[in-house]
């Protein structure tokens, strides 16, 4: 097994040792920001090393067991090992994906916002389906979920929804979901049972730490309050606790209605605004870099990335990687990792 060489496990362990040495220096604890940064990186490296070490140990044990079974012609053990190889391969793909996370934002929590495109009820219902898909995906990944904003439509679907997802590498996973998602199906709202095409946009942005330098001039904000429209307890719809903040220079609008008090909703809405302004700043920097190297790329939200087709056949296809599956139901139940892995691997190869 030369797997440890291909994943540069020795290099990870050397990086870990160097950072650990830093913590023993006399002046290490004087710089709080440095302490936080290094301790976080040590924790990340320990997790990565542990995942690979455990996998390699299991592979080594199973190899020895397989050799014994071959010598003794034990078919039962060989069958068990064959089944386990499939599971180990899946674990390898999952761990390998973590090695593709190299940008500082990849390790952060994320906010994901879903909005319907043009098309009324059809698109609004499609946006709701995507909202549920990301909730189920987050639950499958054992991530923590907070619904920041949920604006239902009167008839069906949603006007918009924002979810705060917390866990290791959340933004790294979800950044590839940015763009337009297309649905083709027989409409449940069409009495003539015609096939309809609907669109919804998905935006994932990284959560920003409080110490990141993002200036917000309070005089450039318009703050509106309104009654919460989502599901909740007795407090919902009895007071103007929900908050909508508009950043006038950029036109960015954020809102929060999940908290019980107007103060808490405003605080969380400001957190989302900081994240959106940070993401806008990062996009502008990337555009400038692309201009320098002569690279042009469509970064508008209208870039269609994936199609979900129910009729006249079943297919989910990512148009960036050509990754596809005929099991649409499983995808809408949160099984989207195959598309995430394919996208991350394709960007690494470029």
């Amino acid at each position: 097994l030369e797997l440890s060489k291909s994943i540069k496990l020795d290099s990870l362990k050397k990086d870990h040792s160097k950072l650990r040495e830093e913590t023993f220096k006399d002046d290490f604890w004087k710089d709080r920001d440095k302490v936080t940064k290094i301790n976080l990186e040590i924790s990340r490296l320990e997790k990565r090393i542990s995942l690979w070490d455990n996998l390699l140990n299991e592979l080594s044990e199973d190899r020895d067991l397989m050799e014994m079974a071959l010598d003794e012609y034990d078919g039962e053990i060989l069958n068990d090992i064959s089944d386990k190889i499939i599971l180990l391969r899946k674990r390898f793909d999952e761990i390998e994906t973590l090695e593709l996370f190299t940008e500082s934002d990849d390790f952060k929590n994320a906010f994901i916002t879903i909005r319907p495109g043009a098309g009324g009820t059809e698109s609004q219902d499609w946006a709701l389906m995507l909202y549920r898909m990301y909730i189920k995906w987050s639950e499958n990944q054992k991530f923590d979920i907070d619904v920041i904003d949920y604006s239902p439509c009167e008839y069906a679907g949603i006007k918009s929804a924002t979810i705060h997802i917390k866990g290791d590498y959340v933004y790294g996973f979800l950044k590839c979901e940015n763009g337009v998602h297309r649905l083709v199906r027989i409409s449940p709202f069409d009495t003539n049972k015609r096939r309809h095409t609907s669109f919804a946009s998905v935006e994932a942005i990284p959560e920003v730490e409080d110490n990141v330098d993002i200036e917000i001039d309070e005089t450039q904000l318009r703050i509106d309050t309104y009654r919460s429209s989502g599901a909740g307890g007795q407090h919902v719809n009895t007071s103007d606790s929900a908050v909508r903040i508009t950043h006038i220079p950029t036109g960015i609008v954020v809102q929060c209605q999940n908290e019980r008090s107007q103060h808490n909703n405003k605080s969380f809405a400001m957190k989302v605004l900081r994240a959106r302004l940070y993401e806008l700043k990062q996009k502008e920097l990337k555009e400038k870099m692309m201009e320098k190297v002569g690279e042009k790329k469509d970064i508008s939200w209208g870039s269609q990335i994936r199609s979900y087709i129910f009729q006249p056949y079943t297919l989910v296809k990512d148009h960036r990687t050509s990754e596809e599956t005929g099991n649409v139901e499983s995808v809408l139940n949160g099984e989207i990792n195959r598309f995430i892995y394919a996208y991350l691997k394709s960007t690494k190869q470029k």
Side-chain angles (χ1 to χ4, degrees), residues 12 39 65 73 131 145 165 174 212-214 230-231 242 265 270 278 323 334 345 348:
L12 291 178
N39 282 338
L65 189 60
Y73 300 101
Y131 166 83
I145 310 163
I165 306 174
L174 288 178
V212 173
D213 185 22
I214 298 293
N265 277 324
M270 288 295 291
Y278 172 81
E323 181 71 23
K345 289 176 182 178
K348 190 68 174 180

Side-chain angles (χ1 to χ4, degrees), residues 205-233:
I205 58 174
E207 183 179 2
V208 179
E209 295 89 350
D210 292 336
N211 60 356
V212 173
D213 185 22
I214 298 293
E215 293 185 10
I216 300 177
D217 185 347
E218 293 271 351
T219 63
Q220 296 179 330
L221 302 179
R222 185 174 72 245
I223 302 175
D224 302 305
T225 59
Y226 59 99
R227 292 188 179 183
S228 300
S229 56

Side-chain angles (χ1 to χ4, degrees), residues 245-277:
I245 300 177
T246 303
H247 186 250
I248 297 171
T250 61
I252 292 174
V253 179
V254 298
Q255 54 193 41
C256 182
Q257 57 176 304
N258 72 317
E259 299 295 331
R260 292 289 177 174
S261 74
Q262 186 181 118
H263 174 77
N264 289 341
N265 277 324
K266 181 184 175 183
S267 177
F268 222 113
M270 288 295 291
K271 191 176 185 68
V272 178
L273 177 60
R274 281 170 51 80
R276 290 199 185 282
L277 290 174

Side-chain angles (χ1 to χ4, degrees), residues 230-244:
Q234 293 179 348
H235 182 75
V236 175
N237 291 324
T238 62
S239 65
D240 293 342
S241 61
V243 174
R244 181 184 297 109

